[in-house]
């Protein structure tokens, strides 16, 4: 299954984040041997433990909610944080990146699903955040794009329209704030059940777990 999905992403010029949460080291090693280098985790402790045990050319992406007091544990090594959902969190990541003499690439997470429970910003909230970010000129953060999760539903039209919304948010922010910024390029959307729809709607980065590793 991995080979097919990796080839599909490659053909469509989309980055594949292999979501390895809850999966053992051995499962990651198997994919690593097949050439995969980007892995996604949603818990700080689990990601840190795996980082310590695995080859150092793996790019670790934090895709789950990040608690402010835990940013320090991943700041030394994380390759991208997909889940920035407040200015306060951005400030803390900037500080921790500075302490580690790094620039950490991040994505702004948007609430695009109809469900109440998912984390994420609205478009106006993100505009406030970006304006504050510009004023404070954070030198240890790079905002590289947006991330979102569609509703947990079998209604494919709804999923597609939510991805379409995220693409529009990206285009709006790009035009208003990042038109000269060559790093603002990423739209992280699409999981095992919906990554093909996400790619049709403009995804540049899909986060696929169970379709690669099997059920959790
Ligand atoms: C678990 C998870 C995924 C992967 O989900 P699958 O359905 O297993 O592909 C993607 N994104 C986030 C934020 C996740 O927590």
């Amino acid at each position: 299954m991995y080979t097919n999905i990796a080839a599909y992403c490659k053909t469509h010029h989309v980055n594949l984040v292999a979501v390895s949460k809850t999966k053992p080291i051995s499962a990651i090693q198997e994919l690593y041997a097949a050439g995969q280098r980007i892995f996604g985790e949603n818990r700080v402790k689990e990601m840190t433990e795996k980082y310590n045990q695995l080859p150092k050319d793996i790019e670790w992406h934090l895709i789950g909610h990040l608690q402010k007091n835990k940013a320090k544990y991943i700041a030394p090594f994380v390759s991208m944080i997909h889940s920035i959902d407040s200015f306060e969190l951005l400030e803390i990541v900037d500080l921790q990146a500075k302490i580690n003499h790094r620039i950490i690439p991040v994505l702004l997470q948007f609430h695009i699903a109809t469900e109440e429970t998912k984390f994420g910003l609205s478009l106006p909230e993100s505009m406030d955040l970006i304006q504050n970010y510009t004023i404070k000129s954070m030198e240890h953060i790079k905002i590289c794009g947006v991330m979102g999760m569609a509703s947990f539903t079998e209604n494919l039209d709804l999923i597609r329209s939510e991805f379409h919304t995220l693409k529009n948010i990206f285009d709006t922010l790009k035009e208003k704030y990042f038109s000269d910024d060559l790093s603002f390029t990423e739209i992280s959307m699409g999981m095992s059940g919906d990554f093909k729809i996400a790619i049709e709607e403009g995804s540049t980065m899909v986060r696929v777990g169970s379709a690669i590793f099997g059920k959790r």
Side-chain angles (χ1 to χ4, degrees):
M1 205 54 206
Y2 167 69
T3 335
N4 294 341
I5 294 173
Y8 190 89
C9 291
K10 198 167 179 203
T11 311
H12 291 84
H13 308 286
V14 166
N15 284 308
L16 172 60
V17 179
V19 177
S20 48
K21 63 189 185 197
T22 77
K23 298 295 172 184
I25 294 285
S26 57
I28 299 174
Q29 283 167 330
E30 207 175 299
L31 242 62
Y32 181 89
Q36 180 66 23
R37 290 295 177 273
I38 309 177
F39 291 89
E41 291 282 339
N42 66 345
R43 289 178 193 278
V44 164
K45 186 161 181 283
E46 186 176 345
M47 188 166 88
T48 308
E49 284 168 6
K50 286 172 172 172
Y51 164 75
N52 285 327
Q53 293 175 61
L54 284 156
K56 293 296 170 279
D57 62 340
I58 287 180
E59 294 175 34
W60 293 100
H61 286 213
L62 188 79
I63 60 171
H65 182 66
L66 176 58
Q67 286 172 273
K68 297 185 185 82
N69 59 344
K70 293 197 174 157
K72 59 176 178 279
Y73 300 115
I74 58 168
F77 70 91
V78 69
S79 284
M80 183 172 271
I81 299 172
H82 290 227
S83 48
I84 297 295
D85 61 359
S86 73
F87 182 68
E88 293 70 31
L89 180 58
L90 196 66
E91 276 186 304
I92 287 169
V93 173
D94 182 57
L95 175 64
Q96 291 301 326
K98 184 175 182 185
I99 291 170
N100 288 280
H101 310 289
R102 298 190 64 216
I103 296 172
I104 298 182
V106 304
L107 304 178
L108 303 179
Q109 181 172 357
F110 284 85
H111 183 276
I112 54 169
T114 45
E115 290 135 51
E116 284 292 328
T117 53
K118 300 241 164 81
F119 294 101
L121 299 158
S122 66
L123 180 59
E125 286 168 346
S126 75
M127 289 177 163
D128 280 351
L129 182 155
I130 293 165
Q131 277 155 16
N132 285 331
Y133 159 81
T134 314
I135 293 164
K136 281 208 69 181
S137 67
M138 294 181 182
E139 287 170 6
H140 295 270
I141 288 286
K142 198 170 267 304
I143 299 183
C144 296
V146 301
M147 179 271 214
M149 281 167 91
S151 293
F152 186 71
T153 172
E154 281 170 13
N155 181 345
L156 299 183
D157 291 336
L158 178 61
I159 291 174
R160 184 180 293 280
S161 79
E162 291 170 356
F163 288 150
H164 192 75
T165 299
L166 188 60
K167 169 73 163 92
N168 282 338
I169 289 171
F170 173 86
D171 290 343
T172 302
L173 297 179
K174 177 82 186 170
E175 187 185 329
K176 201 166 161 59
Y177 303 105
F178 298 99
S179 53
D180 300 331
D181 186 339
L182 297 176
S183 328
F184 193 83
T185 53
E186 301 296 340
I187 305 175
S188 166
M189 62 185 187
M191 309 184 1
S192 290
D194 54 27
F195 71 89
K196 290 187 179 173
I197 300 177
I199 291 172
E200 285 169 11
E201 295 302 326
S203 173
T204 66
M205 196 177 263
V206 295
R207 310 177 308 270
V208 181
S210 46
I212 293 176
F213 291 103
K215 273 210 294 280
R216 283 183 296 273

